Amino acid sequence: MTTQQTEFEAKAAESGNAATERFRESGKTASLAVPKERVSLLANEVLGAVYETIRKHKVTYDEFNALKSWLISVGEDGEWPLFLDVWVEHVVEEVSTEDREGNKGTIEGPYYVPGSPKFESPATLPMRDGEGGTPLLFQGQVRAVDGTALSGAHVEIWHADDNGFYSQFAPGLPEWNLRGTVVADAEGNFALNTVQPAPYQIPTDGACGKLIAAAGWHAWRPAHLHLKVSAPGYQLLTAQLYFEGDQHLSDDIASAVKPELVLSPAPSVDGTGNEVTYDFVLDAERG
Ligand code: MBD
Ligand code: FE
């Protein structure tokens, strides 16, 4: 086995278990009081859709047992967060933000860590000496739907490095590498320096990878920046931004690309990298 394979195989277990642990710590499980009527309605409809599929395609015992075995391995590999965020979250995001007038958002994914180091704008994200990837100056303004500049808005950003690794979910990276919270100025303007991430392949050696291989799909997401943009009194915007020309914009494994979220960076004036401007528009909290 080559070193590269060894490192890659370290990745599914490491990232899956870290993502499972993060979810447990996130506080999201504290609000699991879904009313009995909703549980019954949703569970019945999901099971009904399963029965319909089984009858329609005359699912065999071999196929049923393959499913059982695969579902067991999703848990063993810590990949429930990965599975749900890749194949389900995008529809939840769609219905929960459908009446917003401001910025389109998209899924959070499994690799968010709250509490990243905070920087006044203009900022440079924490990164290693000689961090790989084209330097990127990302700037813009945070506004309300009515055009009001949102002074001191927070632009929280996290993304993979040039090899597709997220800090705290892959071994050997500094804790907050390529993660930070940038505080916009009095006019809501922010500017931050980072590097352009590379397209990202979800781990192929865990249960999700087995499904992808068994179905003959591919494991790629387009290169992306993750963001959470917030200001007091406004709805939190969770988004991702992509890059024009990326070959996976139209076949993202996580179905999380929207045309409004695609950046078109241009070479920076000083010739050292790329720069791009993108403004965020937040919806007021509903009274
Ligand atoms: C990612 O980086 C990601 O953003 C999603 C949604 C799923 C897997 C890996
Ligand atoms: Fe991601």
Side-chain angles (χ1 to χ4, degrees):
M1 187 178 291
T2 68
T3 314
Q4 209 182 356
Q5 280 170 321
T6 310
E7 280 170 3
F8 197 67
E9 287 197 345
K11 195 176 158 186
E14 174 107 7
S15 63
N17 291 322
T20 298
E21 207 39 52
R22 279 290 168 201
F23 179 73
R24 286 183 171 138
E25 291 166 6
S26 70
K28 287 173 186 159
T29 52
S31 59
L32 283 182
V34 180
K36 185 167 75 192
E37 294 71 24
R38 280 288 280 186
V39 174
S40 180
L41 173 77
L42 299 177
N44 269 322
E45 284 203 20
V46 170
L47 289 169
V50 172
Y51 306 151
E52 199 178 295
T53 303
I54 295 169
R55 290 197 181 101
K56 179 173 168 195
H57 299 287
K58 300 195 189 301
V59 169
T60 65
Y61 260 100
D62 279 353
E63 289 165 340
F64 175 63
N65 287 325
L67 172 67
K68 213 186 251 187
S69 146
W70 180 77
L71 287 171
I72 290 167
S73 69
V74 176
E76 286 171 348
D77 295 345
E79 287 198 340
W80 279 113
L82 182 66
F83 172 77
L84 289 166
D85 294 354
V86 166
W87 284 295
V88 182
E89 189 187 355
H90 68 100
V91 193
V92 181
E93 193 277 334
E94 176 189 312
V95 301
S96 67
T97 60
E98 65 192 358
D99 54 11
R100 287 194 184 177
E101 295 166 39
N103 229 210
K104 290 286 179 199
T106 190
I107 66 175
E108 175 177 316
Y111 302 144
Y112 171 64
V113 184
S116 64
K118 219 195 244 185
F119 306 96
E120 295 296 321
S121 174
T124 297
L125 292 189
M127 65 178 84
R128 294 160 291 180
D129 287 344
E131 185 73 45
T134 307
L136 177 70
L137 168 62
F138 173 55
Q139 57 194 340
Q141 188 189 34
V142 185
R143 292 188 299 271
V145 170
D146 68 6
T148 310
L150 297 179
S151 166
H154 284 191
V155 178
E156 215 175 333
I157 179 168
W158 71 102
H159 65 86
D161 68 11
D162 192 43
N163 296 313
F165 294 105
Y166 283 86
S167 56
Q168 302 189 41
F169 296 89
L173 291 165
E175 189 177 20
W176 296 103
N177 206 240
L178 303 175
R179 295 176 185 271
T181 300
V182 180
V183 182
D185 68 14
E187 283 75 51
N189 292 311
F190 67 91
L192 66 93
N193 292 285
T194 186
V195 293
Q196 273 184 228
Y200 175 90
Q201 195 178 25
I202 73 162
T204 52
D205 60 308
C208 292
K210 274 183 220 152
L211 170 62
I212 287 168
W217 300 340
H218 73 75
W220 292 94
R221 299 212 61 221
H224 56 279
L225 305 171
H226 289 272
L227 297 129
K228 283 184 184 281
V229 183
S230 59
Y234 292 84
Q235 294 180 44
L236 171 67
L237 172 68
T238 299
Q240 296 182 37
L241 294 172
Y242 306 94
F243 298 91
E244 189 177 42
D246 191 305
Q247 63 167 318
H248 293 294
L249 288 179
S250 56
D251 66 357
D252 177 12
I253 185 71
S255 310
V257 178
K258 300 178 186 181
E260 300 87 345
L261 300 175
V262 180
L263 299 173
S264 304
S268 51
V269 248
D270 65 6
T272 56
N274 289 334
E275 59 184 44
V276 69
T277 299
Y278 186 90
D279 297 342
F280 295 102
V281 179
L282 302 189
D283 282 73
E285 258 166 17
R286 270 163 287 187

Coordinates of all heavy atoms in Angstrom, one line a residue, residues 223-286:
A223 N -15.1 22.7 -5.7 CA -14.4 23.5 -4.7 C -15.3 24.5 -4.1 O -16.2 25.1 -4.8 CB -13.2 24.3 -5.3
H224 N -15.2 24.7 -2.7 CA -16.2 25.6 -2.1 C -15.6 26.3 -0.8 O -14.8 25.7 -0.1 CB -17.5 24.9 -1.8 CG -17.3 23.7 -0.9 ND1 -16.9 22.4 -1.5 CD2 -17.4 23.4 0.4 CE1 -16.8 21.6 -0.5 NE2 -17.1 22.1 0.6
L225 N -16.1 27.5 -0.5 CA -15.9 28.1 0.7 C -17.2 28.0 1.5 O -18.3 28.2 0.9 CB -15.7 29.6 0.5 CG -14.5 30.0 -0.4 CD1 -14.5 31.5 -0.7 CD2 -13.2 29.6 0.2
H226 N -17.1 27.6 2.8 CA -18.3 27.6 3.6 C -18.4 28.9 4.4 O -17.4 29.4 4.9 CB -18.2 26.5 4.7 CG -18.4 25.1 4.1 ND1 -19.6 24.5 4.0 CD2 -17.4 24.2 3.7 CE1 -19.4 23.2 3.5 NE2 -18.1 23.1 3.4
L227 N -19.6 29.4 4.6 CA -19.8 30.7 5.3 C -21.0 30.6 6.2 O -22.0 30.0 5.9 CB -20.0 31.8 4.3 CG -18.8 32.0 3.4 CD1 -19.2 32.1 2.0 CD2 -18.0 33.3 3.9
K228 N -20.9 31.3 7.3 CA -22.1 31.7 8.1 C -22.0 33.2 8.3 O -21.0 33.7 8.9 CB -22.1 31.0 9.5 CG -22.6 29.5 9.4 CD -22.6 28.9 10.7 CE -23.0 27.4 10.6 NZ -24.4 27.1 10.3
V229 N -23.0 33.9 7.9 CA -23.0 35.4 8.0 C -24.1 35.8 8.9 O -25.3 35.3 8.8 CB -23.2 36.0 6.6 CG1 -23.1 37.5 6.7 CG2 -22.1 35.5 5.6
S230 N -23.8 36.6 9.9 CA -24.8 36.9 10.9 C -24.7 38.4 11.4 O -23.6 39.0 11.4 CB -24.6 36.0 12.1 OG -23.3 36.1 12.7
A231 N -25.8 38.9 11.9 CA -25.8 40.2 12.5 C -27.1 40.2 13.4 O -28.1 39.5 13.1 CB -26.0 41.3 11.5
P232 N -27.0 40.8 14.6 CA -28.1 40.8 15.5 C -29.4 41.3 14.9 O -29.4 42.3 14.2 CB -27.6 41.8 16.7 CG -26.1 41.8 16.5 CD -25.8 41.6 15.1
G233 N -30.5 40.5 15.1 CA -31.8 40.9 14.5 C -32.0 40.4 13.1 O -33.1 40.6 12.5
Y234 N -31.0 39.7 12.6 CA -31.1 39.1 11.2 C -31.0 37.6 11.3 O -30.4 37.0 12.1 CB -30.1 39.7 10.3 CG -30.4 41.2 10.1 CD1 -30.0 42.2 11.0 CD2 -31.2 41.6 9.0 CE1 -30.4 43.5 10.9 CE2 -31.6 42.9 8.9 CZ -31.2 43.9 9.8 OH -31.6 45.2 9.7
Q235 N -31.6 37.0 10.3 CA -31.5 35.5 10.2 C -30.1 35.1 9.8 O -29.6 35.6 8.8 CB -32.6 35.0 9.2 CG -34.0 35.2 9.6 CD -35.0 34.7 8.5 OE1 -34.8 33.6 8.0 NE2 -36.0 35.4 8.2
L236 N -29.6 34.1 10.5 CA -28.3 33.5 10.1 C -28.3 33.0 8.7 O -29.2 32.2 8.3 CB -28.0 32.4 11.1 CG -26.8 31.5 10.8 CD1 -25.5 32.4 11.0 CD2 -26.7 30.3 11.7
L237 N -27.3 33.4 7.9 CA -27.2 32.9 6.6 C -26.1 31.8 6.5 O -24.9 32.1 6.8 CB -26.9 34.0 5.6 CG -26.5 33.5 4.2 CD1 -27.7 33.0 3.5 CD2 -25.9 34.7 3.4
T238 N -26.4 30.6 6.2 CA -25.4 29.5 6.0 C -25.3 29.3 4.5 O -26.3 29.1 3.9 CB -25.9 28.2 6.7 OG1 -26.0 28.5 8.1 CG2 -24.8 27.1 6.5
A239 N -24.1 29.4 4.0 CA -24.0 29.4 2.5 C -22.7 28.7 2.2 O -21.8 28.4 3.0 CB -24.0 30.8 2.0
Q240 N -22.5 28.4 0.9 CA -21.2 28.0 0.3 C -21.1 28.8 -0.9 O -22.0 29.2 -1.6 CB -21.2 26.5 0.0 CG -21.4 25.6 1.2 CD -21.3 24.2 0.8 OE1 -20.5 23.8 -0.1 NE2 -22.1 23.3 1.4
L241 N -19.8 29.2 -1.3 CA -19.5 29.8 -2.5 C -18.6 29.0 -3.4 O -17.7 28.3 -2.8 CB -18.9 31.2 -2.3 CG -19.9 32.2 -1.6 CD1 -19.1 33.5 -1.2 CD2 -21.1 32.6 -2.4
Y242 N -18.9 28.9 -4.6 CA -18.2 28.1 -5.6 C -17.5 28.9 -6.6 O -17.5 30.2 -6.5 CB -19.2 27.2 -6.3 CG -20.1 26.4 -5.3 CD1 -21.3 26.9 -4.9 CD2 -19.7 25.2 -4.7 CE1 -22.1 26.2 -4.0 CE2 -20.4 24.5 -3.8 CZ -21.7 25.0 -3.4 OH -22.4 24.4 -2.5
F243 N -16.8 28.3 -7.5 CA -15.9 29.0 -8.5 C -16.3 28.7 -9.9 O -16.4 27.5 -10.3 CB -14.4 28.7 -8.2 CG -14.0 29.1 -6.8 CD1 -14.1 28.2 -5.7 CD2 -13.6 30.4 -6.6 CE1 -13.7 28.6 -4.5 CE2 -13.2 30.8 -5.3 CZ -13.3 29.9 -4.2
E244 N -16.6 29.8 -10.6 CA -16.9 29.6 -12.1 C -15.9 28.7 -12.8 O -14.7 28.8 -12.5 CB -16.8 31.0 -12.7 CG -17.4 31.1 -14.1 CD -17.3 32.6 -14.6 OE1 -16.3 33.3 -14.3 OE2 -18.3 33.0 -15.2
G245 N -16.4 27.8 -13.6 CA -15.6 27.0 -14.4 C -15.2 25.6 -13.8 O -14.6 24.8 -14.4
D246 N -15.6 25.5 -12.5 CA -15.3 24.2 -11.8 C -16.1 23.1 -12.5 O -17.3 23.2 -12.8 CB -15.8 24.4 -10.3 CG -15.3 23.2 -9.4 OD1 -15.6 22.0 -9.8 OD2 -14.7 23.5 -8.4
Q247 N -15.4 22.0 -12.7 CA -16.1 20.9 -13.5 C -17.2 20.2 -12.7 O -18.0 19.4 -13.3 CB -15.1 19.9 -14.1 CG -14.3 19.2 -13.0 CD -13.6 18.0 -13.6 OE1 -14.0 17.2 -14.4 NE2 -12.3 17.8 -13.1
H248 N -17.3 20.4 -11.4 CA -18.4 19.7 -10.7 C -19.5 20.6 -10.3 O -20.3 20.2 -9.4 CB -17.8 19.0 -9.5 CG -16.9 17.9 -9.9 ND1 -17.4 16.8 -10.6 CD2 -15.5 17.7 -9.9 CE1 -16.4 15.9 -10.9 NE2 -15.3 16.5 -10.4
L249 N -19.6 21.8 -10.9 CA -20.8 22.7 -10.5 C -22.1 22.0 -10.9 O -23.1 22.3 -10.2 CB -20.7 24.0 -11.3 CG -19.6 25.0 -10.8 CD1 -19.6 26.3 -11.7 CD2 -19.7 25.3 -9.3
S250 N -22.1 21.2 -11.9 CA -23.4 20.7 -12.4 C -23.6 19.3 -11.9 O -24.7 18.7 -12.2 CB -23.4 20.7 -13.9 OG -22.3 20.0 -14.4
D251 N -22.7 18.7 -11.2 CA -22.9 17.3 -10.7 C -22.4 17.1 -9.3 O -21.8 16.1 -8.9 CB -22.4 16.3 -11.7 CG -20.8 16.3 -11.8 OD1 -20.2 17.2 -11.1 OD2 -20.3 15.5 -12.5
D252 N -22.6 18.2 -8.4 CA -22.2 18.1 -7.0 C -22.8 16.9 -6.4 O -24.1 16.7 -6.4 CB -22.7 19.4 -6.4 CG -22.4 19.5 -4.9 OD1 -21.6 18.6 -4.4 OD2 -22.9 20.4 -4.2
I253 N -22.1 16.0 -5.7 CA -22.6 14.9 -5.1 C -23.6 15.3 -4.0 O -24.5 14.5 -3.6 CB -21.5 14.0 -4.5 CG1 -22.0 12.7 -3.9 CG2 -20.6 14.7 -3.4 CD1 -22.5 11.7 -4.8
A254 N -23.4 16.5 -3.4 CA -24.3 17.0 -2.3 C -25.4 17.8 -2.8 O -26.2 18.4 -2.0 CB -23.5 17.7 -1.3
S255 N -25.6 18.0 -4.1 CA -26.7 18.8 -4.7 C -26.8 20.2 -4.0 O -27.9 20.6 -3.8 CB -28.0 18.1 -4.6 OG -27.9 16.8 -5.1
A256 N -25.7 20.8 -3.7 CA -25.8 22.1 -2.9 C -25.4 23.3 -3.7 O -25.2 24.4 -3.1 CB -24.9 21.9 -1.7
V257 N -25.2 23.2 -5.0 CA -24.9 24.4 -5.8 C -26.1 25.1 -6.3 O -27.1 24.5 -6.6 CB -24.0 24.0 -7.1 CG1 -23.7 25.2 -7.9 CG2 -22.8 23.2 -6.7
K258 N -26.1 26.5 -6.2 CA -27.1 27.3 -6.7 C -26.4 28.4 -7.6 O -25.3 28.8 -7.2 CB -27.9 28.0 -5.6 CG -28.6 27.0 -4.7 CD -29.4 27.7 -3.6 CE -29.9 26.6 -2.6 NZ -30.7 27.2 -1.5
P259 N -27.0 28.8 -8.7 CA -26.3 29.8 -9.6 C -25.9 31.1 -8.9 O -24.9 31.7 -9.2 CB -27.3 30.0 -10.7 CG -28.6 29.4 -10.3 CD -28.3 28.4 -9.2
E260 N -26.7 31.5 -7.9 CA -26.4 32.7 -7.1 C -25.1 32.6 -6.3 O -24.7 33.6 -5.7 CB -27.6 33.1 -6.2 CG -28.9 33.3 -6.9 CD -29.7 32.1 -7.1 OE1 -29.2 30.9 -7.0 OE2 -30.9 32.2 -7.4
L261 N -24.6 31.4 -6.1 CA -23.5 31.2 -5.2 C -22.2 30.9 -5.9 O -21.2 30.4 -5.3 CB -23.8 30.0 -4.3 CG -25.1 30.1 -3.4 CD1 -25.4 28.8 -2.6 CD2 -25.0 31.3 -2.4
V262 N -22.1 31.2 -7.2 CA -20.9 31.0 -7.9 C -20.1 32.3 -8.1 O -20.6 33.3 -8.6 CB -21.2 30.4 -9.3 CG1 -19.9 30.1 -10.1 CG2 -22.0 29.1 -9.2
L263 N -18.8 32.3 -7.6 CA -17.9 33.4 -7.7 C -17.2 33.4 -9.0 O -16.9 32.3 -9.6 CB -16.9 33.3 -6.6 CG -17.4 33.4 -5.2 CD1 -16.2 33.1 -4.2 CD2 -18.1 34.7 -4.8
S264 N -16.9 34.6 -9.5 CA -16.0 34.7 -10.7 C -14.8 35.5 -10.3 O -14.7 36.7 -10.6 CB -16.8 35.4 -11.8 OG -17.9 34.8 -12.1
P265 N -13.8 34.9 -9.7 CA -12.6 35.7 -9.3 C -11.8 36.2 -10.5 O -11.8 35.5 -11.6 CB -11.8 34.7 -8.5 CG -12.6 33.5 -8.2 CD -13.7 33.5 -9.3
A266 N -11.1 37.3 -10.3 CA -10.2 37.8 -11.4 C -8.8 37.9 -10.8 O -8.7 38.0 -9.6 CB -10.7 39.2 -11.8
P267 N -7.8 37.9 -11.7 CA -6.4 38.1 -11.1 C -6.3 39.4 -10.4 O -6.9 40.4 -10.8 CB -5.6 38.1 -12.4 CG -6.4 37.4 -13.4 CD -7.8 37.7 -13.1
S268 N -5.6 39.4 -9.2 CA -5.5 40.6 -8.4 C -4.6 41.6 -9.1 O -3.7 41.2 -9.9 CB -5.1 40.3 -7.0 OG -3.9 39.5 -7.0
V269 N -4.8 42.9 -8.8 CA -4.0 43.9 -9.5 C -2.5 43.7 -9.3 O -1.7 43.9 -10.2 CB -4.4 45.3 -9.0 CG1 -5.0 46.1 -10.2 CG2 -5.3 45.3 -7.8
D270 N -2.1 43.3 -8.1 CA -0.7 43.1 -7.8 C -0.1 41.7 -8.3 O 1.0 41.4 -8.2 CB -0.4 43.2 -6.3 CG -1.1 42.0 -5.5 OD1 -1.6 41.1 -6.1 OD2 -1.0 42.1 -4.2
G271 N -1.0 41.0 -9.0 CA -0.5 39.8 -9.7 C -0.2 38.6 -8.8 O 0.3 37.6 -9.3
T272 N -0.5 38.7 -7.5 CA -0.1 37.6 -6.6 C -1.2 36.5 -6.5 O -0.9 35.4 -5.9 CB 0.2 38.1 -5.2 OG1 -1.0 38.8 -4.7 CG2 1.4 39.0 -5.2
G273 N -2.4 36.7 -7.0 CA -3.4 35.7 -6.8 C -4.7 36.2 -7.4 O -4.7 36.9 -8.4
N274 N -5.8 35.8 -6.8 CA -7.1 36.2 -7.4 C -7.9 37.1 -6.3 O -7.6 37.0 -5.1 CB -8.0 35.0 -7.7 CG -7.5 34.2 -8.9 OD1 -6.8 34.8 -9.8 ND2 -7.8 33.0 -8.9
E275 N -8.8 37.9 -6.8 CA -9.7 38.6 -5.9 C -11.1 38.6 -6.4 O -11.4 38.4 -7.6 CB -9.2 40.0 -5.7 CG -9.1 40.9 -7.0 CD -8.5 42.2 -6.7 OE1 -7.5 42.3 -5.9 OE2 -9.1 43.2 -7.2
V276 N -12.0 38.7 -5.5 CA -13.4 38.6 -5.9 C -14.3 39.4 -4.8 O -13.9 39.4 -3.6 CB -13.9 37.2 -6.0 CG1 -14.0 36.4 -4.7 CG2 -15.3 37.1 -6.7
T277 N -15.3 40.0 -5.3 CA -16.2 40.8 -4.4 C -17.6 40.1 -4.5 O -18.1 39.7 -5.5 CB -16.4 42.2 -4.9 OG1 -15.1 42.8 -4.8 CG2 -17.3 43.0 -4.0
Y278 N -18.1 39.9 -3.3 CA -19.5 39.2 -3.2 C -20.2 39.8 -2.0 O -19.6 39.8 -0.9 CB -19.3 37.7 -3.0 CG -20.6 36.9 -3.1 CD1 -21.1 36.4 -4.2 CD2 -21.3 36.7 -1.9 CE1 -22.3 35.7 -4.3 CE2 -22.5 36.0 -1.9 CZ -23.0 35.5 -3.1 OH -24.1 34.8 -3.1
D279 N -21.4 40.3 -2.2 CA -22.1 40.9 -1.1 C -23.2 40.0 -0.5 O -23.7 39.2 -1.3 CB -22.8 42.2 -1.6 CG -21.9 43.3 -2.0 OD1 -20.7 43.2 -1.7 OD2 -22.3 44.2 -2.7
F280 N -23.4 40.1 0.8 CA -24.4 39.2 1.4 C -25.6 40.1 1.8 O -25.4 41.1 2.4 CB -23.8 38.5 2.7 CG -22.7 37.6 2.3 CD1 -21.4 37.9 2.5 CD2 -23.0 36.3 1.9 CE1 -20.3 37.0 2.3 CE2 -22.0 35.4 1.6 CZ -20.6 35.8 1.8
V281 N -26.8 39.6 1.6 CA -28.0 40.3 2.0 C -28.8 39.4 2.9 O -29.2 38.3 2.6 CB -28.9 40.6 0.7 CG1 -30.1 41.3 1.1 CG2 -28.1 41.5 -0.3
L282 N -29.0 39.9 4.2 CA -29.6 39.1 5.2 C -31.1 39.5 5.4 O -31.4 40.7 5.3 CB -28.9 39.3 6.5 CG -27.4 39.0 6.6 CD1 -26.9 39.0 8.1 CD2 -27.1 37.6 6.0
D283 N -31.9 38.5 5.6 CA -33.3 38.8 6.0 C -33.5 39.1 7.5 O -32.8 38.5 8.3 CB -34.2 37.5 5.7 CG -34.5 37.3 4.3 OD1 -33.5 37.0 3.5 OD2 -35.6 37.5 3.9
A284 N -34.3 40.1 7.8 CA -34.6 40.4 9.2 C -35.2 39.1 9.8 O -35.9 38.3 9.2 CB -35.5 41.6 9.3
E285 N -35.0 39.0 11.1 CA -35.6 38.0 11.9 C -37.1 38.2 11.9 O -37.6 39.4 11.9 CB -35.2 38.0 13.4 CG -34.2 36.9 13.7 CD -33.4 37.2 15.0 OE1 -34.0 38.0 15.8 OE2 -32.4 36.6 15.2
R286 N -37.9 37.1 11.8 CA -39.4 37.3 11.8 C -39.8 37.5 13.2 O -39.4 36.8 14.1 CB -40.0 36.1 11.1 CG -40.2 36.3 9.6 CD -40.5 35.0 9.0 NE -39.3 34.2 8.9 CZ -39.2 33.0 8.3 NH1 -40.2 32.6 7.6 NH2 -38.0 32.3 8.2

